[in-house]
Amino acid sequence: HWKKRRKISPIPPDQARRQGAITTTAYLILGREAAIVFLNTAHSKLGGRPIDVAMDSDEGRIRVEAEIGRIAYQA
């Protein structure tokens, strides 16, 4: 029994690069579990999930990096 898989388009290389960069930064600074929660939870100041904001543009990635820094500084 074979099922047809729906085609999923891979994300563009620039978005993949930003996703990898912000994930690595968050893991290194916040720790694995806190990074996963932060990146995947809607954040009102950023206007969405940080992972999505960071993937959308270099400006978004910079904003998310700044928020990670702010969180780490407060801790």
Side-chain angles (χ1 to χ4, degrees):
H1 297 243
W2 293 90
K3 283 187 173 183
K4 265 191 164 181
R5 286 186 170 186
R6 62 183 180 144
K7 289 204 171 195
I8 299 174
S9 300
I11 61 175
D14 60 327
Q15 286 184 337
R17 177 184 49 79
R18 288 190 293 268
Q19 180 186 41
I22 201 64
T23 300
T24 300
T25 299
Y27 274 35
L28 291 173
I29 295 174
L30 302 176
R32 184 181 187 277
E33 296 302 319
I36 291 170
V37 171
F38 171 73
L39 291 172
N40 292 295
T41 303
H43 194 284
S44 60
K45 184 176 177 183
L46 295 171
R49 292 186 330 149
I51 192 74
D52 296 330
V53 173
M55 285 175 57
D56 284 343
S57 67
D58 285 329
E59 187 269 332
R61 181 187 49 80
I62 291 167
R63 289 178 43 228
V64 174
E65 284 177 350
E67 187 61 19
I68 290 169
R70 188 189 65 74
I71 291 168
Y73 181 75
Q74 287 183 337

